[in-house]
C-alpha cells in the first residue's frame, strides 16, 4: 500500500508541476518592485481557461495533500 501511494504521489507531483507551468502569467502583477502597479493586490475574477486551470490546480493540490497525509499515517504506524 505504501509503494502504491508513493507512486501516486510522484505522478501527482509531476502532473501538478505541469499544470502550474501551463497556467497563463499575470503580467500586471508580475513585477513586485514596480511602484507604478496599483493593481498588485487587486483581485480580478478568473474567466475561461484561467478559471479551469485554477480549479484543476486546487483539486490536484488537495488530492496531493491527502495522499501525502496518508503516507505519513501509514509510515508512522509501521504497516
Amino acid at each position: 500500500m505504501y509503494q502504491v501511494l508513493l507512486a501516486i504521489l510522484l505522478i501527482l507531483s509531476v502532473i501538478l508541476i505541469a499544470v502550474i507551468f501551463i497556467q497563463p502569467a499575470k503580467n500586471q502583477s508580475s513585477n513586485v518592485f514596480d511602484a507604478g502597479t496599483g493593481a498588485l493586490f487587486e483581485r480580478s475574477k478568473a474567466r475561461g481557461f484561467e478559471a479551469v486551470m485554477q480549479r484543476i490546480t486546487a483539486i490536484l493540490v488537495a488530492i496531493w495533500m491527502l495522499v501525502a497525509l496518508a503516507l505519513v499515517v501509514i509510515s508512522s504506524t509501521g504497516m
Side-chain angles (χ1 to χ4, degrees), residues 20-78:
I20 289 172
F21 278 132
I22 290 172
Q23 290 184 3
K26 302 204 182 326
N27 292 334
Q28 298 90 349
S29 63
S30 63
N31 192 357
V32 176
F33 300 108
D34 187 11
T37 58
L40 179 60
F41 297 106
E42 184 178 300
R43 277 202 108 167
S44 61
K45 187 169 175 87
R47 296 183 182 176
F49 181 70
E50 290 180 18
V52 171
M53 293 307 292
Q54 284 180 357
R55 287 188 188 113
I56 290 173
T57 304
I59 291 169
L60 285 173
V61 166
I63 294 170
W64 187 90
M65 291 185 79
L66 288 173
V67 171
L69 184 64
L71 280 169
V72 169
V73 169
I74 288 174
S75 67
S76 68
T77 60

